[in-house]
Amino acid sequence: MNIEGLDYNTQREQLVLPEYGREIQKMVDHALTLPTKEERQACAESIIATMSILFPQGYDAIDLEHKLWDHLAIMSNFQLDIDYPFDVSEAIKAATKPQHVGYTSSHIPVRHYGKLLFDTFEKLKNMPEGEERDALVRLTANQMKRALVEWGHGAADNERVASDLAAFTNGKIQLDLDTFKFEKLPAKEPEKKRKKK
């Protein structure tokens, strides 16, 4: 939808440093068009003065001024030909975006159990019978029951835990619910009502 006379920010050029706003960016763009170095220098100093008014909080004055000059260089895409009072070559590091962090693409069939429990299921599939496997089964089953309660899947159902454990270990682990004892889960404390001030 393009209505004559209306100018939306979504239709405008994206700001380099949005925290300074579009008017400061326009001032920087104007400084780039000035013909003489003296005019550009005077314009840059007035832009820095305006930028410092926007952030009056108690930064160290030297540090703040250096940051502002760095930001001016970034906003001008390092094209503003003036005599900077500080070395702005380090501003290039601040202007570069960090490399994208990739996420693991491991598939977890049931999210409320989480990746660690599924790693444990894999381990249980290959463990030989014995005390160590029994201890790990006990820990795993109790953690599964806690996960069901924490994720709000109703009351912790022992049959569901036994069924899921058998399913995710390809039938290798079968809990005998007549003999297996789950740990008692602590009762949830009722939330206290906040006092109105």
Side-chain angles (χ1 to χ4, degrees):
M1 183 167 152
N2 192 6
I3 300 173
E4 191 175 324
L6 292 179
D7 188 20
Y8 293 101
N9 282 338
T10 56
Q11 297 169 338
R12 296 178 179 176
E13 188 177 331
Q14 192 169 358
L15 294 173
V16 179
L17 293 174
E19 58 267 29
Y20 290 106
R22 196 160 299 281
E23 296 306 315
I24 298 290
Q25 185 64 52
K26 285 181 184 176
M27 293 167 78
V28 173
D29 294 342
H30 172 70
L32 287 166
T33 63
L34 295 174
T36 65
K37 191 170 188 175
E38 292 78 25
E39 289 176 308
R40 288 192 298 271
Q41 187 72 39
C43 186
E45 288 171 7
S46 64
I47 292 170
I48 293 295
T50 306
M51 289 165 71
S52 66
I53 292 170
L54 293 175
F55 298 99
Q57 50 268 46
Y59 293 123
D60 180 17
I62 296 170
D63 186 41
L64 176 63
E65 193 174 349
H66 192 168
K67 265 187 204 173
L68 294 176
W69 283 101
D70 283 349
H71 290 173
L72 177 65
I74 292 169
M75 290 170 72
S76 69
N77 199 21
F78 301 94
Q79 301 297 315
L80 190 58
D81 182 24
I82 57 170
D83 295 324
Y84 289 95
F86 299 97
D87 179 26
V88 293
S89 62
E90 292 294 315
I92 295 171
K93 290 179 184 173
T96 55
K97 292 186 177 181
Q99 198 173 15
H100 178 71
V101 177
Y103 290 101
T104 58
S105 59
S106 61
H107 174 68
I108 302 171
V110 184
R111 293 189 58 108
H112 57 266
Y113 288 142
K115 182 172 181 352
L116 292 178
L117 271 177
F118 276 92
D119 290 346
T120 307
F121 297 150
E122 290 300 316
K123 186 172 183 178
L124 284 171
K125 287 179 191 179
N126 303 318
M127 282 183 83
E129 289 187 29
E131 264 184 53
E132 188 178 356
R133 186 176 93 166
D134 292 343
L136 187 57
V137 166
R138 194 170 33 261
L139 289 171
T140 305
N142 284 307
Q143 181 58 35
M144 290 170 71
K145 189 169 180 174
R146 278 191 292 276
L148 287 171
V149 169
E150 286 175 14
W151 281 75
H153 290 279
D157 185 10
N158 295 349
E159 286 84 18
R160 181 172 179 187
V161 171
S163 171
D164 285 351
L165 188 56
F168 294 127
T169 58
N170 296 338
K172 298 271 181 170
I173 306 298
Q174 299 288 333
L175 284 184
D176 182 9
L177 293 177
D178 294 330
T179 59
F180 187 83
K181 300 289 183 202
F182 284 95
E183 291 176 5
K184 187 173 181 182
L185 295 175
K188 235 182 178 181
E189 292 181 19
E191 292 183 24
K192 295 177 182 176
K193 292 183 180 178
R194 293 182 183 172
K195 293 180 181 178
K196 292 184 180 178
K197 292 183 180 181

